[in-house]
Amino acid sequence: MPNAASDPKRHTIPAQMVFMRQGERADRAWLIESGELEILLTTPEGVVKRLGVVGKGAVVGEMALIDDGERSATVRALTEVSCIEVTREAFRGLLKRSPPLASYLLQSLIAAIRRDYGLPPTERVGNPVDFRSTTSFQRVIDRRMFREGHVFFSPNEATNAAFLIQSGRVVLKPGRGTLGGEIAAFGPGSLFGEIFVMTGRLPDVTAIAAVGSICEVIDKKAFDETLAAMPPILKSLAKIYIEQLHRSKRVSVAAL
């Protein structure tokens, strides 16, 4: 991870040692140089599931550094592991060198993954009004007002834009939104619809403006430009998250 830390610390971890435990607070992540680790998830019902095995080149523990949440899984060494410690400050430095949209995108993808795991997402880190910039690829210029009752997207309809709420409230309802009930609600600073834009999956929920709302409309080109401008490690992580959500059968639920 070039330039991620001025003086990176290398560690050798023995087999069977636990790197981190689900639910703990986080202050560092690890870049794996050699060895294998297993990722274990304890569901809300108490069932332990193995999510997978990772090895050389993987980064573990970074999600909680990006969204300032709890560890989403337990990581245990299967073999002796050589790794580089990466601090919270290093990750925040990478985010500062990225377009403002990068932080929204990464935190939103991580929130979707947490929900996909059956875990509660964390609140967004940062000021919701810090989105605009004087740099061209960072600026979103399509700010629109939507009346109460406006439908942003519906089931089985291709979604070509995501929305960042500046003011107002947007709700997600099951199906075509005619049966009542809310699955989720979003307020200022929330980004919604980006999972469908980035994965190409069709929604099976309806997004409706609960009150008059002002949103930035963000198309796929803006997301692609943001990905291209991210430092390599963040770009790789974003692509991994997107691919994980693309494979998920619960992507529409996860995107809430």
Side-chain angles (χ1 to χ4, degrees):
M1 182 184 271
N3 300 321
S6 58
D7 186 21
K9 297 180 181 179
R10 282 181 163 80
H11 300 273
T12 299
I13 308 299
Q16 302 308 311
M17 179 175 175
V18 174
F19 267 64
M20 63 187 195
R21 296 186 185 277
Q22 183 175 332
E24 292 179 339
R25 300 299 299 178
D27 62 357
R28 68 201 67 197
W30 295 271
L31 172 63
I32 308 306
E33 294 188 303
S34 65
E36 291 189 332
L37 308 96
E38 62 178 348
I39 314 298
L40 304 170
L41 171 72
T42 302
T43 69
E45 297 75 29
V47 178
V48 178
K49 296 182 178 180
R50 181 192 256 195
L51 298 179
V53 175
V54 297
K56 181 178 179 179
V59 179
V60 295
E62 84 293 340
M63 286 173 50
L65 298 188
I66 294 172
D67 73 353
D68 202 28
E70 297 178 348
R71 299 292 194 191
S72 61
T74 295
V75 178
R76 182 171 60 195
L78 293 175
T79 66
E80 183 177 272
V81 172
S82 176
C83 58
I84 297 175
E85 179 182 309
V86 186
T87 65
R88 178 190 301 276
E89 290 71 25
F91 263 98
R92 293 294 168 82
L94 291 172
L95 286 170
K96 287 180 180 179
R97 299 204 301 271
S98 303
L101 181 55
S103 175
Y104 282 89
L105 176 59
L106 286 168
Q107 291 187 47
S108 187
L109 292 172
I110 290 171
I113 290 171
R114 288 187 185 277
R115 289 190 177 97
D116 200 33
Y117 289 170
L119 303 174
T122 58
E123 294 295 326
R124 202 194 96 80
V125 178
N127 188 335
V129 300
D130 65 0
F131 190 75
R132 288 177 177 266
S133 169
T134 57
T135 306
S136 61
F137 65 73
Q138 296 175 330
R139 189 191 310 122
V140 173
I141 59 175
D142 193 3
R143 179 176 290 189
R144 303 182 196 175
M145 180 178 291
F146 298 92
R147 294 182 178 179
E148 179 179 347
H150 175 82
V151 175
F152 294 90
F153 52 77
S154 297
N156 301 317
E157 296 179 359
T159 304
N160 57 17
F163 305 87
L164 176 64
I165 302 174
Q166 296 294 320
S167 65
R169 182 171 177 269
V170 175
V171 298
L172 292 184
K173 294 190 174 185
R176 295 200 169 271
T178 59
L179 301 179
E182 296 179 6
I183 301 173
F186 303 100
S190 296
L191 181 67
F192 69 96
E194 78 293 343
I195 307 300
F196 303 121
V197 174
M198 299 303 293
T199 65
R201 298 289 292 270
L202 298 178
D204 61 359
V205 293
T206 298
I208 303 172
V211 297
S213 302
I214 298 175
C215 302
E216 301 281 6
V217 182
I218 309 169
D219 61 18
K220 189 174 187 302
K221 180 181 178 183
F223 285 116
D224 289 342
E225 290 175 344
T226 294
L227 279 173
M230 286 183 186
I233 186 63
L234 294 186
K235 185 187 304 183
S236 296
L237 289 172
K239 290 180 178 179
I240 289 170
Y241 299 155
I242 291 166
E243 180 58 29
Q244 180 174 339
L245 290 168
H246 180 72
R247 294 194 306 266
S248 172
K249 295 180 180 179
R250 297 177 60 200
V251 66
S252 58
V253 178
L256 309 184

